[in-house]
Amino acid sequence: MLGGRTRPLLRVWGLWPTGVLGRRPLSCNAESLEGSYSLQCWNCGSGGGPVRGNGFFCPRCRALQPPDPTRDHFSLMDCNRSFRVDTVKLQHRYQQLQRLVHPDFFSQRSQTEKDFSEKHSTLVNDAYKTLLAPLSRGLYLMTLKKPRKF
């Protein structure tokens, strides 16, 4: 998977912390953790879930947690909620997230983690495609400001 020369580069770039064998936890926005999102790890049952570990993974057992359905695309992609988006930063964040949650990296994990990985990867892809194009970004901003009633 990753060669011996790749891991030091990832550490230098800040994508792989020193001393951690698993994937790097990403920070979460506190607003995105409200709602029905479970704060208990599905694998080990530890309380706090990814909130204490500041990421998608349980800080105790390093299991991938289910995606937060209330999290918006801007917080997921670490962008300001405005029409102006730094597309270079967006692309880097997209690549960073896909290195963490892409299903190819979970082929040897449990079926539950494979499913969560697919869901996370789908959410990241949707967020990236939506925020990259100005028209879809504007329409998405409008849905955040004024929810539609059907």
Side-chain angles (χ1 to χ4, degrees), residues 92-103:
H92 286 293
R93 177 68 172 170
Y94 169 74
Q95 292 169 347
Q96 181 186 32
L97 289 174
Q98 285 296 6
R99 280 191 291 268
L100 287 173
V101 299
H102 195 276

Side-chain angles (χ1 to χ4, degrees), residues 52-110:
R52 285 192 186 143
N54 271 343
F56 295 118
F57 298 90
C58 172
R60 187 170 178 200
C61 68
R62 302 293 296 159
L64 183 64
Q65 299 301 299
D68 181 2
T70 63
R71 192 168 190 184
D72 68 278
H73 293 343
F74 289 99
S75 67
L76 178 65
M77 300 307 282
D78 197 25
C79 294
N80 292 330
R81 195 182 282 191
S82 74
F83 186 73
R84 289 186 153 192
V85 171
D86 183 356
T87 56
V88 174
K89 180 182 172 188
L90 180 69
Q91 183 179 14
H92 286 293
R93 177 68 172 170
Y94 169 74
Q95 292 169 347
Q96 181 186 32
L97 289 174
Q98 285 296 6
R99 280 191 291 268
L100 287 173
V101 299
H102 195 276
D104 289 349
F105 297 119
F106 291 86
S107 62
Q108 300 298 315
R109 299 284 188 101
S110 69

Side-chain angles (χ1 to χ4, degrees), residues 83 130 133-140:
F83 186 73
T130 300
L135 179 61
S136 61
R137 184 184 327 132
L139 292 171
Y140 182 71

Side-chain angles (χ1 to χ4, degrees), residues 15-32:
L15 301 174
W16 197 297
T18 306
V20 176
L21 299 175
R23 289 175 180 80
R24 178 179 186 221
L26 293 175
S27 60
C28 290
N29 185 344
E31 297 171 0
S32 69

